Every structure is written in C-alpha cells, then in structure tokens.
Amino acid sequence: QVQLVESGGGLVQAGGSLRLSCAASGNIFSTNDMRWYRQAPGKQRELVASITRTGSTNYNDTVKGRFTISRDNAKNTVYLQMNSLKPEDTAVYYCNADVWHVSRAFTTSWGQGTQVSVSA
C-alpha cells in the first residue's frame, strides 16, 4: 500500500513563502507524474502544478512565476516552493502521485492534505 505524507503547511502573511513536501512510501518501484492540488472552502479541487519523472513541469496560470514544483526521485519526494503568497492561495494542499508498486501494480495515490493559510 502506497502512502503519501505531506508537510510544510502553515500560516503566513501575504508576500511570504512556504515550502511543502510530500514523501511517498510503501514498497515503491518508481514514481511517475507527481502533482499538487488545492481546495479552498466552497470551491472545487484544482491542479496547482505537476512534474514528470524527467522533470517537465506545468503550472496553473494563477501560480506561474510564484510557485516552483520539484522532485527527488531517489527519495520519492515532491516539493512545492511557494513564494509571494496571496490570501487567495489559502487552501488545503494535496499531493498526488502515479506510483508503480513492487508488485507491478499501478496506482494513483493521494496524501491527507496540509493547510496553507495566507493572511492579508
């Protein structure tokens, strides 16, 4: 069973920075695409950024130039560096990953979420 554990959320003032981490564990053979989503109160969950195993990235237009997604394949970990944070970035941030298990099963797994709150 694959587990994704996020960390790094918190409360920050507008203009500040946070770095989220998400580590995958559980007899993993390899991780493919990894993603960060977020869900604000009363809104649908949206894709924030994604990264392929080879490092190609894509970003939601609302975070381009402010957020940077990266990964460490050896640690099965994905990061989200968030700079110039705005109150509208307030949400629960979820990690998502496509994972090959050692059994050769392929799964898409979710983390439990970490709260990011940005005050004006």
Side-chain angles (χ1 to χ4, degrees):
Q1 184 176 355
V2 175
Q3 289 187 321
L4 301 179
V5 179
E6 299 114 333
S7 61
L11 174 63
V12 66
Q13 289 186 331
S17 299
L18 286 173
R19 188 188 192 216
L20 305 183
S21 300
C22 171
S25 63
N27 293 323
I28 294 170
F29 178 72
S30 71
T31 52
N32 285 10
D33 290 3
M34 303 184 82
R35 310 168 190 89
W36 287 98
Y37 284 80
R38 67 185 179 187
Q39 187 167 20
K43 294 188 177 181
Q44 290 188 331
R45 191 171 296 188
E46 65 176 356
L47 179 64
V48 175
S50 64
I51 185 168
T52 68
R53 183 169 180 81
T54 56
S56 296
T57 59
N58 276 294
Y59 295 93
N60 187 305
D61 285 345
T62 62
V63 306
K64 282 182 180 177
R66 300 188 297 122
F67 291 9
T68 302
I69 189 171
S70 60
R71 63 188 289 166
D72 184 333
N73 289 335
K75 296 181 179 180
N76 291 317
T77 298
V78 63
Y79 306 96
L80 186 68
Q81 178 67 44
M82 304 185 294
N83 298 329
S84 301
L85 282 161
K86 304 176 180 180
E88 51 264 43
D89 294 318
T90 295
V92 178
Y93 284 70
Y94 297 91
C95 174
N96 171 276
D98 296 336
V99 179
W100 283 104
H101 193 265
V102 293
S103 67
R104 301 309 172 104
F106 183 80
T107 63
T108 297
S109 300
W110 290 89
Q112 81 286 355
T114 185
Q115 177 70 46
V116 171
S117 299
V118 184
S119 62

PDB file of all heavy atoms in Angstrom, residues 89-106:
ATOM      1  N   ASP A  89      -4.406  32.161  -2.113  1.00  0.00           N
ATOM      2  CA  ASP A  89      -3.722  30.873  -2.118  1.00  0.00           C
ATOM      3  C   ASP A  89      -4.133  30.007  -0.928  1.00  0.00           C
ATOM      4  O   ASP A  89      -3.747  28.835  -0.839  1.00  0.00           O
ATOM      5  CB  ASP A  89      -2.207  31.062  -2.090  1.00  0.00           C
ATOM      6  CG  ASP A  89      -1.660  31.725  -3.342  1.00  0.00           C
ATOM      7  OD1 ASP A  89      -2.115  31.364  -4.441  1.00  0.00           O
ATOM      8  OD2 ASP A  89      -0.779  32.599  -3.202  1.00  0.00           O
ATOM      9  N   THR A  90      -4.902  30.563  -0.021  1.00  0.00           N
ATOM     10  CA  THR A  90      -5.355  29.815   1.146  1.00  0.00           C
ATOM     11  C   THR A  90      -6.196  28.617   0.723  1.00  0.00           C
ATOM     12  O   THR A  90      -7.172  28.765  -0.010  1.00  0.00           O
ATOM     13  CB  THR A  90      -6.174  30.718   2.083  1.00  0.00           C
ATOM     14  OG1 THR A  90      -5.311  31.748   2.606  1.00  0.00           O
ATOM     15  CG2 THR A  90      -6.770  29.926   3.230  1.00  0.00           C
ATOM     16  N   ALA A  91      -5.803  27.437   1.172  1.00  0.00           N
ATOM     17  CA  ALA A  91      -6.477  26.205   0.786  1.00  0.00           C
ATOM     18  C   ALA A  91      -5.817  25.029   1.502  1.00  0.00           C
ATOM     19  O   ALA A  91      -4.755  25.184   2.119  1.00  0.00           O
ATOM     20  CB  ALA A  91      -6.381  25.991  -0.728  1.00  0.00           C
ATOM     21  N   VAL A  92      -6.443  23.875   1.390  1.00  0.00           N
ATOM     22  CA  VAL A  92      -5.784  22.628   1.748  1.00  0.00           C
ATOM     23  C   VAL A  92      -5.057  22.129   0.505  1.00  0.00           C
ATOM     24  O   VAL A  92      -5.665  22.022  -0.563  1.00  0.00           O
ATOM     25  CB  VAL A  92      -6.778  21.579   2.259  1.00  0.00           C
ATOM     26  CG1 VAL A  92      -6.043  20.270   2.570  1.00  0.00           C
ATOM     27  CG2 VAL A  92      -7.520  22.088   3.481  1.00  0.00           C
ATOM     28  N   TYR A  93      -3.784  21.856   0.648  1.00  0.00           N
ATOM     29  CA  TYR A  93      -2.957  21.404  -0.466  1.00  0.00           C
ATOM     30  C   TYR A  93      -2.755  19.893  -0.362  1.00  0.00           C
ATOM     31  O   TYR A  93      -2.374  19.378   0.684  1.00  0.00           O
ATOM     32  CB  TYR A  93      -1.619  22.134  -0.456  1.00  0.00           C
ATOM     33  CG  TYR A  93      -1.728  23.551  -0.970  1.00  0.00           C
ATOM     34  CD1 TYR A  93      -2.388  24.527  -0.231  1.00  0.00           C
ATOM     35  CD2 TYR A  93      -1.201  23.912  -2.205  1.00  0.00           C
ATOM     36  CE1 TYR A  93      -2.519  25.820  -0.708  1.00  0.00           C
ATOM     37  CE2 TYR A  93      -1.321  25.199  -2.688  1.00  0.00           C
ATOM     38  CZ  TYR A  93      -1.982  26.145  -1.936  1.00  0.00           C
ATOM     39  OH  TYR A  93      -2.111  27.428  -2.423  1.00  0.00           O
ATOM     40  N   TYR A  94      -3.010  19.217  -1.480  1.00  0.00           N
ATOM     41  CA  TYR A  94      -2.922  17.765  -1.542  1.00  0.00           C
ATOM     42  C   TYR A  94      -1.856  17.325  -2.530  1.00  0.00           C
ATOM     43  O   TYR A  94      -1.766  17.855  -3.645  1.00  0.00           O
ATOM     44  CB  TYR A  94      -4.252  17.164  -1.988  1.00  0.00           C
ATOM     45  CG  TYR A  94      -5.405  17.405  -1.050  1.00  0.00           C
ATOM     46  CD1 TYR A  94      -6.224  18.516  -1.203  1.00  0.00           C
ATOM     47  CD2 TYR A  94      -5.694  16.505  -0.017  1.00  0.00           C
ATOM     48  CE1 TYR A  94      -7.294  18.741  -0.354  1.00  0.00           C
ATOM     49  CE2 TYR A  94      -6.760  16.714   0.832  1.00  0.00           C
ATOM     50  CZ  TYR A  94      -7.558  17.838   0.657  1.00  0.00           C
ATOM     51  OH  TYR A  94      -8.619  18.055   1.504  1.00  0.00           O
ATOM     52  N   CYS A  95      -1.097  16.332  -2.132  1.00  0.00           N
ATOM     53  CA  CYS A  95      -0.135  15.697  -3.004  1.00  0.00           C
ATOM     54  C   CYS A  95      -0.814  14.524  -3.717  1.00  0.00           C
ATOM     55  O   CYS A  95      -1.676  13.850  -3.131  1.00  0.00           O
ATOM     56  CB  CYS A  95       1.031  15.194  -2.153  1.00  0.00           C
ATOM     57  SG  CYS A  95       2.247  14.225  -3.011  1.00  0.00           S
ATOM     58  N   ASN A  96      -0.416  14.306  -4.953  1.00  0.00           N
ATOM     59  CA  ASN A  96      -0.986  13.229  -5.767  1.00  0.00           C
ATOM     60  C   ASN A  96       0.144  12.627  -6.597  1.00  0.00           C
ATOM     61  O   ASN A  96       0.966  13.374  -7.149  1.00  0.00           O
ATOM     62  CB  ASN A  96      -2.085  13.816  -6.658  1.00  0.00           C
ATOM     63  CG  ASN A  96      -2.593  12.857  -7.695  1.00  0.00           C
ATOM     64  OD1 ASN A  96      -1.996  12.726  -8.756  1.00  0.00           O
ATOM     65  ND2 ASN A  96      -3.699  12.206  -7.407  1.00  0.00           N
ATOM     66  N   ALA A  97       0.193  11.296  -6.684  1.00  0.00           N
ATOM     67  CA  ALA A  97       1.297  10.686  -7.422  1.00  0.00           C
ATOM     68  C   ALA A  97       0.868   9.407  -8.107  1.00  0.00           C
ATOM     69  O   ALA A  97       0.067   8.628  -7.558  1.00  0.00           O
ATOM     70  CB  ALA A  97       2.457  10.393  -6.468  1.00  0.00           C
ATOM     71  N   ASP A  98       1.426   9.182  -9.298  1.00  0.00           N
ATOM     72  CA  ASP A  98       1.260   7.922 -10.022  1.00  0.00           C
ATOM     73  C   ASP A  98       2.443   7.037  -9.651  1.00  0.00           C
ATOM     74  O   ASP A  98       3.589   7.403  -9.888  1.00  0.00           O
ATOM     75  CB  ASP A  98       1.245   8.167 -11.525  1.00  0.00           C
ATOM     76  CG  ASP A  98       0.070   8.999 -11.966  1.00  0.00           C
ATOM     77  OD1 ASP A  98      -0.943   9.012 -11.247  1.00  0.00           O
ATOM     78  OD2 ASP A  98       0.179   9.645 -13.021  1.00  0.00           O
ATOM     79  N   VAL A  99       2.132   5.869  -9.096  1.00  0.00           N
ATOM     80  CA  VAL A  99       3.178   5.052  -8.482  1.00  0.00           C
ATOM     81  C   VAL A  99       3.133   3.622  -9.005  1.00  0.00           C
ATOM     82  O   VAL A  99       2.053   3.009  -9.079  1.00  0.00           O
ATOM     83  CB  VAL A  99       3.024   5.039  -6.948  1.00  0.00           C
ATOM     84  CG1 VAL A  99       4.093   4.165  -6.314  1.00  0.00           C
ATOM     85  CG2 VAL A  99       3.090   6.455  -6.385  1.00  0.00           C
ATOM     86  N   TRP A 100       4.312   3.118  -9.359  1.00  0.00           N
ATOM     87  CA  TRP A 100       4.454   1.688  -9.653  1.00  0.00           C
ATOM     88  C   TRP A 100       4.909   1.004  -8.362  1.00  0.00           C
ATOM     89  O   TRP A 100       5.942   1.324  -7.797  1.00  0.00           O
ATOM     90  CB  TRP A 100       5.494   1.456 -10.745  1.00  0.00           C
ATOM     91  CG  TRP A 100       5.037   1.755 -12.115  1.00  0.00           C
ATOM     92  CD1 TRP A 100       5.349   2.848 -12.864  1.00  0.00           C
ATOM     93  CD2 TRP A 100       4.162   0.952 -12.922  1.00  0.00           C
ATOM     94  NE1 TRP A 100       4.721   2.769 -14.091  1.00  0.00           N
ATOM     95  CE2 TRP A 100       3.994   1.620 -14.157  1.00  0.00           C
ATOM     96  CE3 TRP A 100       3.510  -0.267 -12.723  1.00  0.00           C
ATOM     97  CZ2 TRP A 100       3.209   1.111 -15.186  1.00  0.00           C
ATOM     98  CZ3 TRP A 100       2.730  -0.770 -13.744  1.00  0.00           C
ATOM     99  CH2 TRP A 100       2.585  -0.087 -14.963  1.00  0.00           C
ATOM    100  N   HIS A 101       4.094   0.063  -7.908  1.00  0.00           N
ATOM    101  CA  HIS A 101       4.421  -0.738  -6.728  1.00  0.00           C
ATOM    102  C   HIS A 101       5.376  -1.852  -7.134  1.00  0.00           C
ATOM    103  O   HIS A 101       5.437  -2.226  -8.307  1.00  0.00           O
ATOM    104  CB  HIS A 101       3.116  -1.297  -6.147  1.00  0.00           C
ATOM    105  CG  HIS A 101       3.229  -1.864  -4.791  1.00  0.00           C
ATOM    106  ND1 HIS A 101       3.422  -3.209  -4.575  1.00  0.00           N
ATOM    107  CD2 HIS A 101       3.163  -1.284  -3.570  1.00  0.00           C
ATOM    108  CE1 HIS A 101       3.464  -3.439  -3.286  1.00  0.00           C
ATOM    109  NE2 HIS A 101       3.310  -2.289  -2.647  1.00  0.00           N
ATOM    110  N   VAL A 102       6.082  -2.414  -6.183  1.00  0.00           N
ATOM    111  CA  VAL A 102       6.994  -3.517  -6.499  1.00  0.00           C
ATOM    112  C   VAL A 102       6.258  -4.722  -7.045  1.00  0.00           C
ATOM    113  O   VAL A 102       6.838  -5.556  -7.737  1.00  0.00           O
ATOM    114  CB  VAL A 102       7.836  -3.925  -5.265  1.00  0.00           C
ATOM    115  CG1 VAL A 102       8.795  -2.807  -4.888  1.00  0.00           C
ATOM    116  CG2 VAL A 102       6.951  -4.309  -4.099  1.00  0.00           C
ATOM    117  N   SER A 103       4.955  -4.817  -6.752  1.00  0.00           N
ATOM    118  CA  SER A 103       4.141  -5.900  -7.295  1.00  0.00           C
ATOM    119  C   SER A 103       3.777  -5.646  -8.752  1.00  0.00           C
ATOM    120  O   SER A 103       3.102  -6.470  -9.369  1.00  0.00           O
ATOM    121  CB  SER A 103       2.854  -6.060  -6.478  1.00  0.00           C
ATOM    122  OG  SER A 103       2.022  -4.918  -6.652  1.00  0.00           O
ATOM    123  N   ARG A 104       4.196  -4.501  -9.282  1.00  0.00           N
ATOM    124  CA  ARG A 104       3.905  -4.037 -10.639  1.00  0.00           C
ATOM    125  C   ARG A 104       2.480  -3.515 -10.781  1.00  0.00           C
ATOM    126  O   ARG A 104       2.024  -3.253 -11.883  1.00  0.00           O
ATOM    127  CB  ARG A 104       4.209  -5.087 -11.700  1.00  0.00           C
ATOM    128  CG  ARG A 104       5.659  -5.537 -11.701  1.00  0.00           C
ATOM    129  CD  ARG A 104       6.606  -4.363 -11.750  1.00  0.00           C
ATOM    130  NE  ARG A 104       7.996  -4.733 -11.578  1.00  0.00           N
ATOM    131  CZ  ARG A 104       8.872  -4.789 -12.553  1.00  0.00           C
ATOM    132  NH1 ARG A 104       8.502  -4.475 -13.781  1.00  0.00           N
ATOM    133  NH2 ARG A 104      10.127  -5.144 -12.316  1.00  0.00           N
ATOM    134  N   ALA A 105       1.791  -3.351  -9.676  1.00  0.00           N
ATOM    135  CA  ALA A 105       0.501  -2.663  -9.712  1.00  0.00           C
ATOM    136  C   ALA A 105       0.762  -1.167  -9.881  1.00  0.00           C
ATOM    137  O   ALA A 105       1.766  -0.636  -9.386  1.00  0.00           O
ATOM    138  CB  ALA A 105      -0.269  -2.914  -8.428  1.00  0.00           C
ATOM    139  N   PHE A 106      -0.133  -0.489 -10.599  1.00  0.00           N
ATOM    140  CA  PHE A 106      -0.011   0.946 -10.840  1.00  0.00           C
ATOM    141  C   PHE A 106      -1.169   1.635 -10.142  1.00  0.00           C
ATOM    142  O   PHE A 106      -2.330   1.283 -10.351  1.00  0.00           O
ATOM    143  CB  PHE A 106      -0.050   1.224 -12.338  1.00  0.00           C
ATOM    144  CG  PHE A 106       0.140   2.670 -12.690  1.00  0.00           C
ATOM    145  CD1 PHE A 106       1.401   3.233 -12.716  1.00  0.00           C
ATOM    146  CD2 PHE A 106      -0.949   3.478 -12.977  1.00  0.00           C
ATOM    147  CE1 PHE A 106       1.587   4.571 -13.048  1.00  0.00           C
ATOM    148  CE2 PHE A 106      -0.775   4.813 -13.301  1.00  0.00           C
ATOM    149  CZ  PHE A 106       0.486   5.361 -13.337  1.00  0.00           C
TER     150      PHE A 106
END
